[in-house]
Amino acid sequence: MPSYKLNHIQQLESEAILIMREVAAQFEKPVLLFSGGKDSIVMAHLARKAFFPGKIPFPFLHVDTGHNFDETIEFRDWLTEELGIHMIVASVQDSIDKGKVKEEKGPRASRNGLQITTLLDALEEHKFDAAFGGARRDEEKARAKERFFSHRDDFGQWDPKNQRPELWNLFNGKKDLGEHFRVFPLSNWTEMDVWQYIAAEDIEIPSLYFSHKRRVFKRDGTILAEADFIQLMEDEKIEEKIVRFRTIGDITCTGAVQSEASTLEDIIQEVASARITERGGRADDKRSEAAMEERKKQGYF
């Protein structure tokens, strides 16, 4: 009998599919957190493969800051129809209107951190006991501390010092009432792995990832996109540049890079030579040395 050996990308795919099926078996009401970025798009693709020919057995949840790129929302709505899934949209604006969070003021104002309350309220409202996230360990030092099955207490908070050991492929999903898990099928993937998988599987992604002409300005070394709700400082000016985005999030904190990469092959070449991670251009991570870890402890993605 001829031997069959999986390559690196196939092994990562197999591991992620195993974890998705494990969650479907262990938990009563899982949900997939969908941002419209490449990692959540890859998870959507993996979910389709994991349960084919059946339908994906859980809904998707998008936390909408109201400050998204138009291209992200258009892609989200297209994918919802393409996959035939139920997309729940939780609005940060609703949280503001209800007085649950207070909107920041000034030129550095961002709704990114306000997503925490909106997310936790949505998980509680729908009684989800497991939430798939697209975080990878190579992205940021706080995310490197996550397990595949990352326990959250009944307040939705994360304690990096109180996580369960994961030996071999044994995942412990036991929880008390009110607690839930964040599950990260892409934990062992790198940015390069994600792009190679997208190319190999011919996965559709938003046009924001490819080079395009956009009106932008520079702030603290980060190139940000022009938007009606962003207040410029005195020394800032709008310029038109050829850019693309390595990561997609709230416009107020998602940095672009000057790039001519217009194909997947171009992007892979660019990532191979990059010396900073894709989150190196995220303004929200620069607010403090431990910005991501503090947000995660409060219930962030």
Side-chain angles (χ1 to χ4, degrees):
M1 179 183 292
S3 62
Y4 178 69
K5 186 176 181 180
L6 297 177
N7 66 32
H8 174 62
I9 298 298
Q10 290 171 327
Q11 288 175 340
L12 289 173
E13 178 192 66
S14 179
E15 178 182 65
I17 286 175
L18 169 68
I19 290 165
M20 287 189 163
R21 290 173 176 168
E22 188 71 22
V23 168
Q26 286 199 42
F27 294 91
E28 294 182 9
K29 204 170 182 185
V31 67
L32 190 148
L33 302 180
F34 185 81
S35 68
K38 63 185 182 303
D39 299 317
S40 59
I41 292 168
V42 165
M43 285 205 302
H45 182 81
L46 288 165
R48 176 159 57 179
K49 293 188 79 169
F51 302 103
F52 186 83
K55 291 185 177 181
I56 297 173
F58 41 76
F60 288 20
L61 171 62
H62 178 222
V63 178
D64 184 359
T65 66
H67 291 171
N68 294 288
F69 292 94
D70 291 340
E71 295 93 332
T72 303
I73 301 304
E74 290 168 6
F75 188 89
R76 179 199 71 188
D77 295 344
W78 171 82
L79 189 66
T80 299
E81 185 174 344
E82 176 74 11
L83 295 180
I85 48 94
H86 176 42
M87 179 74 70
I88 300 166
V89 179
S91 169
V92 170
Q93 185 62 55
D94 287 346
S95 298
I96 294 171
D97 294 342
K98 293 174 183 177
K100 292 191 171 186
V101 294
K102 186 176 181 180
E103 186 152 24
E104 297 178 1
K105 304 295 182 183
R108 297 184 184 278
S110 174
R111 289 184 172 183
N112 198 53
L114 306 186
Q115 296 178 86
I116 297 171
T117 297
T118 307
L119 170 61
L120 294 178
D121 284 350
L123 294 175
E124 174 64 25
E125 176 186 351
H126 296 279
K127 306 300 179 188
F128 293 126
D129 55 358
F132 290 106
R136 308 185 320 268
R137 293 183 181 129
D138 75 317
E139 286 182 274
E140 200 274 342
K141 57 189 177 184
R143 287 183 165 171
K145 299 178 182 180
E146 292 280 19
R147 303 287 196 269
F148 281 108
F149 278 30
S150 186
H151 176 263
R152 298 298 198 268
D153 65 20
D154 53 356
F155 295 104
Q157 297 177 329
W158 173 64
D159 181 0
K161 297 179 180 179
N162 189 29
Q163 295 297 311
R164 299 167 182 180
E166 291 181 342
L167 307 176
W168 303 286
N169 287 329
L170 301 177
F171 304 107
N172 184 352
K174 292 184 179 179
K175 58 180 178 53
D176 292 328
L177 185 66
E179 298 176 343
H180 73 275
F181 279 80
R182 304 290 172 84
V183 182
F184 302 106
L186 306 185
S187 287
N188 286 337
W189 297 51
T190 65
E191 183 186 10
M192 178 62 82
D193 295 329
V194 170
W195 283 117
Q196 290 179 334
Y197 187 72
I198 288 171
E201 295 287 303
D202 194 24
I203 300 172
E204 290 283 340
I205 56 173
S207 59
L208 288 165
Y209 282 114
F210 300 101
S211 64
H212 60 284
K213 190 179 292 185
R214 185 173 289 270
R215 287 169 58 83
V216 298
F217 65 97
K218 185 169 283 190
R219 175 176 292 172
D220 301 329
T222 299
I223 299 174
L224 296 174
E226 179 188 37
D228 294 339
F229 41 79
I230 297 180
Q231 179 184 335
L232 295 181
M233 298 182 187
E234 287 185 8
D235 60 340
E236 295 172 343
K237 63 177 182 178
I238 299 295
E239 300 177 286
E240 202 168 69
K241 293 183 181 293
I242 302 295
V243 300
R244 75 175 191 87
F245 294 87
R246 290 178 68 187
T247 179
I248 296 177
D250 189 283
I251 294 178
T252 60
C253 59
T254 302
V257 294
Q258 289 187 258
S259 171
E260 297 288 340
S262 58
T263 67
L264 287 175
E265 291 74 19
D266 292 341
I267 291 174
I268 290 171
Q269 287 278 347
E270 191 174 89
V271 170
S273 61
R275 290 296 174 264
I276 60 173
T277 71
E278 70 265 46
R279 289 198 69 93
R282 289 294 291 266
D284 51 328
D285 289 350
K286 298 177 182 179
R287 290 194 170 197
S288 74
E289 182 68 21
M292 173 63 82
E293 183 156 336
E294 291 304 315
R295 292 200 304 274
K296 285 178 68 63
K297 288 179 179 178
Q298 297 169 35
Y300 193 71
F301 304 100

